[in-house]
Amino acid sequence: MTTTTLSPTSCYEIRPPFLFRWEDSQQAHVLLYPEGIVKLNATGGEILKRCDGRTTVAELIEQLSRSYDAADPATIRDGILKFLEVSHGKGWIRAKA
């Protein structure tokens, strides 16, 4: 697996053919794709919700640090970066050009 270096100024978006949405039947955010569905936990949903092609990685981290009232922002940052790296590696997101 290749490691992605995420720049604080990069913006990410959901990559087609994935469709990100709230699914009432799952009571969770999901990624739909032709072969199936990925049910996200609450934090994963909050991260991908912000992968709109306009929000930078730094802004995403700042928003979630405030949202979760993080006592240790470094822990939140590391978790977000790891999730974004995995999401990019799985092809769920791509850098917005």
Side-chain angles (χ1 to χ4, degrees):
M1 184 166 127
T2 321
T3 313
T4 304
T5 303
L6 301 171
S7 165
T9 58
S10 293
C11 298
Y12 287 86
E13 64 184 0
I14 305 297
R15 186 183 67 75
F18 293 96
L19 174 65
F20 174 76
R21 72 176 192 196
W22 175 261
E23 189 67 45
D24 280 333
S25 64
Q26 300 284 330
Q27 284 299 294
H29 283 101
V30 297
L31 277 174
L32 299 172
Y33 60 105
E35 296 84 23
I37 184 172
V38 176
K39 181 178 177 182
L40 301 162
N41 65 22
T43 305
E46 288 300 316
I47 293 170
L48 289 187
K49 186 190 315 183
R50 290 165 171 82
C51 290
D52 56 11
R54 296 180 309 272
T55 304
T56 66
V57 171
E59 291 168 338
L60 189 152
I61 291 168
E62 182 183 325
Q63 290 170 8
L64 288 173
S65 292
R66 279 196 315 262
S67 178
Y68 285 97
D69 196 23
D72 181 13
T75 302
I76 295 271
R77 182 194 67 233
D78 293 347
I80 291 169
L81 292 175
K82 183 65 177 168
F83 183 84
L84 289 172
E85 288 171 0
V86 169
S87 296
H88 188 268
K90 290 179 179 264
W92 298 348
I93 61 172
R94 65 182 177 192
K96 177 75 173 178

